[in-house]
Amino acid sequence: MSGVARGGRQWGGIDVAGGRAWQAGVAGGGKGRAMMGWCATHWTCSPLPSPMDRLELRIPPLALAALCLLLIAALGWGVPVGHVVLPGQGWGALLLGVTGAAFLFGSALQFRLQRTTLNPMAPEKASTLVARGWFRVSRNPMYLGMALCLAAAVWWFGSLPGGVVLLAFCGWIQRFQILPEERVMRQRFGASYEAYTQQVRRWV
């Protein structure tokens, strides 16, 4: 780890020049106290990244959703336990699936119309803050659409284990996709994005 501090080079996140200044302060009496004050002002430590941070923006959300859909189907067909009969199982699942597809493809079309990137692995390439269409309902309508499609599959099979997969998908997307994207959006669009977050919820 390395960084740049006003007082000099850093080593392992610690200001080396500041460390030398502190040592001089101990040995230098009155001048040393002044130097120690300087050191307290300029001493910097870089935050250590969490091992979990390495998973951020690593798995394409659509690929993850497809994998979860296959897993829900496998659990629905192959696991004989944890099945329930839900009201309107067929029509309810169809309605959820259509709604999810509308969110997913409608928001993707909005991105195309605004000529901004659709690549979820590189949010820093976003050129426009999209706040129209489905983005007035949710800050992440594409991920909401994926989750609704998975919910449709869970409803269709009436699979409780499939519901666990759905919750795991939503948890992963929020921690490793949405939160990193939000950090980038705040850096790129500043007050405009902050105002947007006050008006529209993260999911729905």
Side-chain angles (χ1 to χ4, degrees):
M1 185 192 313
S2 63
V4 178
R6 288 175 295 174
R9 295 176 301 168
Q10 289 184 343
W11 180 261
I14 299 176
D15 189 341
V16 176
R20 289 196 294 266
W22 181 83
Q23 292 176 347
V26 173
K31 293 182 179 179
R33 284 193 294 272
M35 188 67 75
M36 289 173 67
W38 179 92
C39 175
T41 302
H42 292 74
W43 190 285
T44 59
C45 292
S46 303
L48 294 175
S50 165
M52 299 296 285
D53 293 344
R54 298 177 182 178
L55 298 175
E56 293 181 349
L57 305 175
R58 292 294 184 182
I59 301 179
L62 193 58
L64 180 62
L67 179 62
C68 289
L69 182 61
L70 292 175
L71 183 55
I72 291 170
L75 291 171
W77 279 317
V79 177
V81 296
H83 289 263
V84 295
V85 178
L86 299 173
Q89 199 153 352
W91 286 105
L94 179 61
L95 180 61
L96 273 180
V98 170
T99 303
F103 269 96
L104 176 58
F105 295 109
S107 53
L109 177 61
Q110 193 66 51
F111 266 42
R112 286 298 187 191
L113 293 175
Q114 295 294 320
R115 297 184 178 181
T116 190
T117 181
L118 265 170
N119 182 3
M121 316 311 291
E124 69 278 0
K125 294 182 180 179
S127 58
T128 305
L129 176 59
V130 181
R132 300 177 180 177
W134 288 121
F135 291 89
R136 294 180 178 178
V137 180
S138 169
R139 298 206 307 263
N140 299 280
M142 279 185 267
Y143 303 145
L144 176 60
M146 295 176 196
L148 288 175
C149 289
L150 294 180
V154 172
W155 199 331
W156 176 268
F157 290 106
S159 172
L160 295 180
V164 175
V165 175
L166 170 61
L167 293 176
F169 170 82
C170 292
W172 180 282
I173 286 295
Q174 176 153 317
R175 169 60 183 85
F176 298 110
Q177 191 66 40
I178 292 178
L179 295 182
E181 286 182 358
E182 288 182 351
R183 290 198 300 268
V184 175
M185 292 299 102
R186 284 188 170 89
Q187 292 172 358
R188 287 191 63 80
F189 301 108
S192 298
Y193 183 76
E194 287 294 342
Y196 176 60
T197 62
Q198 297 300 315
Q199 298 170 359
V200 182
R201 293 178 181 270
R202 179 178 286 150
W203 284 96
V204 67

